[in-house]
């Protein structure tokens, strides 16, 4: 890669060359890349060859009619793919400003999003019709430095360097089960819970241990049971009678109202962690972030 004489200015390859390389790397084929980009195979090959000349390294190993990434090519493809995704997201966001208040790229926890947030969104859209929200779901904290996210809903402790956090709510978790399982196993007292399979939620590995300890029960069986990635899956497994789940009460209100789930021993446990709206300090002045922040805090009975 070459540098201009002006400090701070870097001469980078053309977007067409980068796009040709990324497509060829993804498909492992110049021909399939050409089909995707509506180019000839020769044009893709020339773009990649020019890119290799600019970089001074080989990106592909060429054996007869087959190509495969070199170690340098593999590393470069990962970075370029991320960069092109960012460019695409930035372009869509810029286009969305045409006659609108902007776009909010929001990261959410899957079950929190489907059970609590999305049912309330019509009120936000009515109040802010010019804001478009794009959703991304993830079970672990987002990396604002690498992912095109403006804000996220986070569960945990209020520790996120370089970000602004607003506590939305805490939670109380309760054991729940299908009525048939409760009746069959005679689940009436805390100690009875140990007779049932304990359904596990992957991101809350200590949920059962904490509940059992608060009841004065041994936690040895706390991790024994089928494991699921999301609360929605754990809840459905409980509805199906596969075992006892321990979940935030506000995420299963529908099942409790319908009777699909019951709380055999209503001894909720609350922790110090909570749900937070979090966004980078660099995004704090975005109109879409401000509008969503003020609305969401209002939905939680809070103020900015």
């Amino acid at each position: 890669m070459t540098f201009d004489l002006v400090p701070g200015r870097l001469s980078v390859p053309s977007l067409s060359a980068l796009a040709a390389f990324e497509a060829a790397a993804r498909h492992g084929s110049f021909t399939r890349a050409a089909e995707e980009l509506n180019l000839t195979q020769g044009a893709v090959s020339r773009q990649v060859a020019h890119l290799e000349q600019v970089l001074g390294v080989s990106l592909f190993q060429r054996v007869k009619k087959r190509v495969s990434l070199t170690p340098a090519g593999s590393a470069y493809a990962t970075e370029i793919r991320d960069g092109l995704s960012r460019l695409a997201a930035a372009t869509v966001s810029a286009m969305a400003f045409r006659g609108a208040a902007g776009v909010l790229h929001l990261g959410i926890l899957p079950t929190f999003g489907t059970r609590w947030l999305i049912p309330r969104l019509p009120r936000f859209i009515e109040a802010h019709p010019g804001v478009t929200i794009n959703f991304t779901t993830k079970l672990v904290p987002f990396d604002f430095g690498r992912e095109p996210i403006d804000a996220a809903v986070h569960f945990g402790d209020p520790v996120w360097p370089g970000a602004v956090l607003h506590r939305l709510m805490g939670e109380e978790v309760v054991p729940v089960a299908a009525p048939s399982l409760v009746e069959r196993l005679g689940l009436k007292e805390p100690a009875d819970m140990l007779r049932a399979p304990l359904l596990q939620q992957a991101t809350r590995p200590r949920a059962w241990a904490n509940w059992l300890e608060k009841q004065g029960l041994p936690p040895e069986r706390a991790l024994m049971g089928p494991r699921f990635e999301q609360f929605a899956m754990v809840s459905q497994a409980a509805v199906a009678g596969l075992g006892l789940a321990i979940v935030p009460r506000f995420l299963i209100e529908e099942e409790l109202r319908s009777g699909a789930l019951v709380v055999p021993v209503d001894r909720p446990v609350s922790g110090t962690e909570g749900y937070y709206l979090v966004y980078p300090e660099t995004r704090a002045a975005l109109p879409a972030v401000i509008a969503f922040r003020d609305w969401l805090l209002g939905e939680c009975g809070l103020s900015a």
Side-chain angles (χ1 to χ4, degrees):
M1 191 171 290
T2 59
F3 291 85
D4 293 334
L5 294 179
V6 180
R9 285 177 54 183
L10 178 65
S11 178
V12 299
S14 68
L15 279 177
S16 58
L18 294 175
F21 164 67
E22 190 281 328
R26 180 161 31 86
H27 290 295
S29 166
F30 288 177
T31 300
R32 292 180 62 186
E35 293 172 353
E36 176 183 312
L37 299 174
N38 197 27
L39 297 171
T40 65
Q41 189 271 348
V44 170
S45 181
R46 287 191 294 274
Q47 292 275 24
V48 171
H50 173 69
L51 184 58
E52 290 177 319
Q53 182 180 5
V54 170
L55 296 175
V57 297
S58 296
L59 299 173
F60 288 96
Q61 294 176 336
R62 297 163 174 83
V63 180
K64 296 183 179 180
K65 294 184 178 181
R66 301 183 62 183
V67 295
S68 61
L69 288 168
T70 64
S74 180
Y76 192 54
T78 299
E79 297 296 330
I80 292 303
R81 189 168 296 119
D82 181 65
L84 291 175
S85 296
R86 285 174 171 271
L87 283 173
T91 301
V92 171
S93 294
M95 292 172 66
F97 275 93
R98 295 179 298 186
V103 172
L104 177 68
H105 297 284
L106 181 67
I108 57 173
L109 299 164
T111 308
F112 178 88
T114 56
R115 292 300 185 94
W116 191 90
L117 180 60
I118 290 177
R120 290 169 167 78
L121 272 183
R123 292 196 285 271
F124 175 79
I125 295 172
E126 182 179 359
H128 303 278
V131 177
T132 299
I133 301 180
N134 296 328
F135 294 94
T136 300
T137 61
K138 204 169 186 180
L139 295 171
V140 297
F142 289 84
D143 183 347
F144 288 119
R146 296 186 59 86
E147 299 175 78
I149 300 296
D150 299 315
V153 174
H154 158 69
F155 179 83
D157 295 315
V159 179
W160 205 313
V164 180
L165 292 98
H166 300 274
R167 185 179 173 92
L168 303 175
M169 65 183 79
E171 67 175 16
E172 58 176 33
V173 297
V174 291
V176 295
S180 58
L181 183 70
V182 173
E183 182 178 357
R184 177 165 59 85
L185 297 181
L187 305 180
K188 298 178 181 179
E189 302 295 334
D192 298 336
M193 305 296 107
L194 298 175
R195 296 203 299 267
L198 303 182
L199 306 179
Q200 310 290 323
Q201 210 277 337
T203 61
R204 305 283 188 94
R206 282 199 51 81
W208 271 116
N210 291 338
W211 190 87
L212 292 170
E213 288 171 354
K214 290 291 179 65
Q215 316 311 317
L217 296 170
E220 284 77 9
R221 293 191 61 247
L223 295 176
M224 297 174 62
R227 190 170 304 275
F228 302 87
E229 285 193 351
Q230 301 178 16
F231 276 127
M233 299 174 69
V234 173
S235 300
Q236 287 304 305
V239 170
L242 298 182
L244 274 165
I246 186 159
V247 295
R249 194 193 298 267
F250 80 97
L251 292 180
I252 52 165
E253 291 176 346
E254 182 178 336
E255 286 83 355
L256 294 177
R257 281 195 300 268
S258 68
L261 290 175
V262 296
V263 181
V265 177
D266 198 355
R267 295 192 182 183
V269 170
S270 300
T272 59
E273 297 177 314
Y275 291 86
Y276 291 84
L277 174 67
V278 55
Y279 46 86
E281 294 171 349
T282 56
R283 302 280 209 281
L286 289 179
V289 169
I290 294 172
F292 184 76
R293 177 201 66 195
D294 292 348
W295 171 82
L296 185 58
L297 291 175
E299 287 290 312
C300 297
L302 304 169
S303 58

